[in-house]
Amino acid sequence: MPYSRKLAALFLVLMAHASPALAQTFARHDGIKLEVAADGFDHPVFLCGAPGDTRLFVVEQPGRIRWIEKGKPSAALFADLTSEVRYGGERGLLGLAFHPDYVRNGWVFVNFTDKSGDTQVMRYTVKRDRSALDLGSALRVLTVKQPFANHNGGHIAFGPDGMLYIGMGDGGAGGDPLGNGQNRHALLGKMLRIDVTHGTPYTIPAGNPFKSKPRDGAPEIWSMGMRNPWRWSFDFAAKRLIIADVGQNKFEEVNVVDAATPGLNYGWNVREALHGFGLPR
C-alpha cells in the first residue's frame, strides 16, 4: 500500500478506535473493510510520518508522542510534554509537524495548550540517535492567548512552499462572541503562515497579505474567517489546501482552495459555509 494510503487508513483506524459506531458504519458498506492496524493509545488525535524515518508517530492528547510498534504504542516515548500541557476537553497536545529538512536539522514542531490554557507552538530538536526529542532544545515559536477553553485549532503542517501553517480557532465559547474571525489584527480564527527556516523563531514570508501593511492586519495571517479548523491538509500534487472547519450547530464546512492563494476570507462569524450566521463586529 502506498505510504499516503497507509496514513489515511491508520487515521481511520484511530478514529474508529475512538468511535465504535464509525467502525460499524464502514463495515456495512460493500467493498470496504476496516481493520485495526494499531490500538492501545491514550486519546490519539493525530499521526504522521517523518522524512527519512519509517516510523509512524501518534500524538496522544494528554501530552505524549509515541510511534506504532507491531500494532501497539511504542514502549519508549518520542516525547513526554505532560508537564507543559493542560489537557482536558479540547485542550492538550494537538499538533505535530516535522520540518521538510528534518533529516539534516532534526527540527520537530508541536502545538499544545499550556498550563494557562494558551496555545504554544514550540520547536524541538531530535536527539542524535533519533530516539526522542531533546526537551532541553525547546524554542518558543509562537504564543496565542486563548480566551476560552474550546476552539483551539491545533493543527500545524508544512505546505508545498516550505512554510509552516498554523490553524487557529476563533477562541471559543459559541458564535465567536469576541469577533475574532473577522478581526484582522487577531491571530484567532485564522490560518497563519510563517517561515521557521529563516530567522529565530520565525520571519514573515513573502505573499502574506499584511506583510507590508501591518496596520491593516497581523502579518502572520494567511487567511481569515475560521471557526475551528481542527484538521486540514495539503494536496501536494494538486497544490490545494483542504480545510475541515468545525460548524456551530447545523452545518459543517469543508473548503478546498488553491494553496497559493493568500487573503481568503472563509466568512465566520458572518457566514457559516453557504449560510448566513450573524453580524460582523
Side-chain angles (χ1 to χ4, degrees):
M1 184 184 292
Y3 193 63
S4 60
R5 289 181 62 193
K6 281 186 178 180
L7 285 174
L10 284 167
F11 181 67
L12 287 173
V13 167
L14 289 172
M15 291 174 64
H17 183 65
S19 175
L22 180 62
Q24 293 169 9
T25 300
F26 270 93
R28 293 191 184 111
H29 285 276
D30 291 339
I32 298 176
K33 182 180 180 182
L34 189 62
E35 297 180 356
V36 175
D39 63 5
F41 290 91
D42 183 7
H43 292 82
V45 292
F46 185 64
L47 86 164
C48 66
D53 197 313
T54 60
R55 293 174 292 180
L56 287 176
F57 296 91
V58 176
V59 174
E60 296 181 327
Q61 192 178 353
R64 299 179 182 89
I65 303 172
R66 304 177 188 270
W67 62 89
I68 297 173
E69 195 169 56
K70 296 181 179 179
K72 296 294 181 182
S74 59
L77 291 171
F78 189 65
D80 185 351
L81 303 174
T82 52
S83 63
E84 305 291 330
V85 171
R86 183 168 184 175
Y87 161 64
E90 296 182 20
R91 291 168 164 165
L93 179 58
L94 305 175
L96 169 66
F98 293 85
H99 192 276
D101 201 15
Y102 172 74
V103 171
R104 184 185 64 82
N105 60 31
W107 289 354
V108 181
F109 296 79
V110 297
N111 184 327
F112 62 82
T113 48
D114 65 18
K115 293 299 184 181
S116 297
D118 298 321
T119 289
Q120 299 289 348
V121 177
M122 304 285 293
R123 188 192 84 190
Y124 295 91
T125 302
V126 73
K127 293 180 178 179
R128 184 168 297 182
D129 64 0
R130 306 276 161 156
S131 62
L133 297 187
D134 177 3
L135 300 186
S137 68
L139 173 70
R140 193 178 311 279
V141 176
L142 184 69
T143 299
V144 182
K145 291 287 186 180
Q146 292 284 358
F148 302 101
N150 56 340
H151 300 184
N152 300 293
H155 192 80
I156 55 176
F158 285 91
D161 54 4
M163 301 298 113
L164 181 65
Y165 290 73
I166 305 166
M168 294 299 306
D170 63 11
D176 191 13
L178 302 180
N180 287 316
Q182 295 300 313
N183 181 352
R184 294 181 295 181
H185 295 278
L187 298 186
L188 295 168
K190 309 296 189 300
M191 186 68 71
L192 310 180
R193 174 178 178 260
I194 58 177
D195 183 350
V196 294
T197 304
H198 306 95
T200 304
Y202 66 87
T203 58
I204 303 299
N208 279 20
F210 305 119
K211 175 181 172 66
S212 60
K213 40 187 177 180
R215 290 186 178 182
D216 293 340
E220 292 88 352
I221 292 174
W222 176 250
S223 57
M224 59 189 292
M226 312 299 303
R227 184 176 180 274
N228 190 26
W230 162 239
R231 288 292 177 249
W232 44 270
S233 65
F234 287 100
D235 181 334
F236 278 72
K239 295 186 178 179
R240 291 175 178 168
L241 174 58
I242 305 165
I243 307 172
D245 198 5
V246 181
Q248 177 71 38
N249 289 312
K250 294 182 178 180
F251 309 105
E252 305 294 345
E253 180 173 336
V254 177
N255 298 284
V256 182
V257 301
D258 181 347
T261 302
L264 295 176
N265 189 335
Y266 296 97
W268 180 255
N269 67 348
V270 180
R271 299 190 65 79
E272 187 175 23
L274 302 178
H275 310 276
F277 182 80
L279 296 175
R281 290 180 177 265

